[in-house]
Amino acid sequence: MTDLNATIDTYLQAWTESDESRRTQLIAQLWSDDGRLIDPPATGEGHGGINVMFVGMQAQFPGHTLRRASALHAPPEHFRLAW
């Protein structure tokens, strides 16, 4: 994905995608096989670990959706936004 806005939209969608097959596809679009997601206090390692984070969040906050709540800050090696 070269368009950062599309990447962010996919990222937010992946967090709350309830269909496991679709969520797995979204995760694969966003991370390499050995990618890591750090969202304190949780960390997900690889596609499986990231999926576990998303499933856990969905269990804790059923029906919750995510949206952008701030402007995008995107230095070269990462991005940051409020959601």
Side-chain angles (χ1 to χ4, degrees):
M1 296 180 143
T2 57
D3 178 38
L4 187 54
N5 287 313
T7 300
I8 291 167
D9 291 341
T10 302
Y11 172 79
L12 295 174
Q13 180 185 358
W15 273 96
T16 57
E17 177 59 58
S18 61
D19 179 84
E20 184 171 359
S21 176
R22 179 70 183 132
R23 186 176 57 251
T24 301
Q25 290 173 352
L26 294 171
I27 290 168
Q29 281 182 291
L30 294 163
W31 284 275
S32 62
D33 292 338
D34 63 348
R36 181 171 34 164
L37 173 60
I38 302 169
D39 188 0
T43 299
E45 301 277 344
H47 292 176
I50 293 167
N51 187 50
V52 167
M53 282 180 67
F54 293 172
V55 170
M57 192 279 300
Q58 290 176 26
Q60 188 174 2
F61 302 103
H64 190 75
T65 59
L66 300 176
R67 63 178 172 79
R68 294 185 221 189
S70 74
L72 175 65
H73 175 127
E77 296 178 4
H78 60 277
F79 69 85
R80 180 176 55 193
L81 70 149
W83 45 302

